[in-house]
Amino acid sequence: MVRSYFHLHLVSDSTGETLINVGRAAAAQYEGVSAIEHVYPLVRSGTQLERVINEIEQAPGIVLYTLVGRELTERLEEACRATGSPALSVLEPVHRLLQAYLGTHSTARPGAQHMLNAEYFKRIDAMNFTLAHDDGNLPHDLNEADVILLGVSRTSKTPTAIYLANRGLKTTNIPLIPGVPPPAILETLRQPLIVGLIASPERIVQIRQNRLLSLKADDSSSYVDREAVANEIATSRRLFARNRWPVIDVTRRSIEETAAAIVDLHREHRLKFIAD
């Protein structure tokens, strides 16, 4: 299949994260087409914008932007018309909807979503907790966690925990090792949501083999034996079922999809915990 490319310019007066996520989510829907991304964060002055416009002139394409200043917006749109580059304010349709519903106008504040408020510091605290409790560390204070992830080796526990921490959830992950019982305290915890992560034996073996290859280690052990891995997963399933812990199969899930499912489970868990 022949793959075609186009230039995608992402112009933001903040970090550009919103534009990157929107641009990639939309571009991913077009098979055989890839975007050459040009990201311009923290564009807040005319001088900075002119440098952006110069690059757009050199490589015309689609322009997505989140600029709140009218002068900058008008100058960018003018330049895009001159180069034949379609331009769209990603937040403008949302602002119009909010204004119509709320009956009030917004206040232009570049980067307002990244203010150092209580939510921001909550995320920092969650990240510090999660990093300190990675891979079964500090099991004595598990009750302080919001989420506890259990699973055999290579079920994406650590990256999922870090993603959840960035959402403000204190997360610890505990590996399930053959012949080693999990911490007994898990069966008495009420506050944290405990989630079991599983994957198909084939997927686990593949990831483990790649891991050993990168480490230039011997791959003849039971660590990558398909039958042994299947037994590990079956044992973990029995543990999860016995304790009625929710289970997520990560075989075909991205980290983001797994985390989203856990966030929903945590919301339901908190409601039940509060009710009790």
Side-chain angles (χ1 to χ4, degrees), residues 48-113:
Q48 292 170 323
L49 182 60
E50 290 305 321
R51 288 197 289 267
V52 172
I53 290 173
N54 181 62
E55 293 202 30
I56 294 174
E57 291 172 343
Q58 298 299 315
I62 294 176
V63 179
L64 302 180
Y65 66 90
T66 53
L67 300 175
V68 297
R70 180 173 296 277
E71 290 185 7
L72 295 180
T73 298
E74 291 177 349
R75 173 66 183 115
L76 177 60
E77 291 181 344
E78 176 189 0
C80 288
R81 286 192 295 269
T83 61
S85 299
L88 174 68
S89 170
V90 170
L91 295 180
E92 185 59 30
V94 181
H95 281 310
R96 287 200 299 266
L97 179 64
L98 288 173
Q99 289 173 5
Y101 185 79
L102 299 175
T104 184
H105 292 281
S106 62
T107 301
R109 293 186 298 164
Q113 72 270 35

Side-chain angles (χ1 to χ4, degrees), residues 3 10 28-29 36 63 133 149 162 166 170 176 197 203 221-222 224 229 261:
R3 180 168 292 276
L10 307 172
Q29 308 305 313
I36 301 174
V63 179
H133 292 76
L149 303 179
I162 292 175
N166 196 45
K170 293 181 178 179
L176 297 178
L197 301 182
R203 180 59 175 161
S221 69
S222 60
V224 291
V229 171

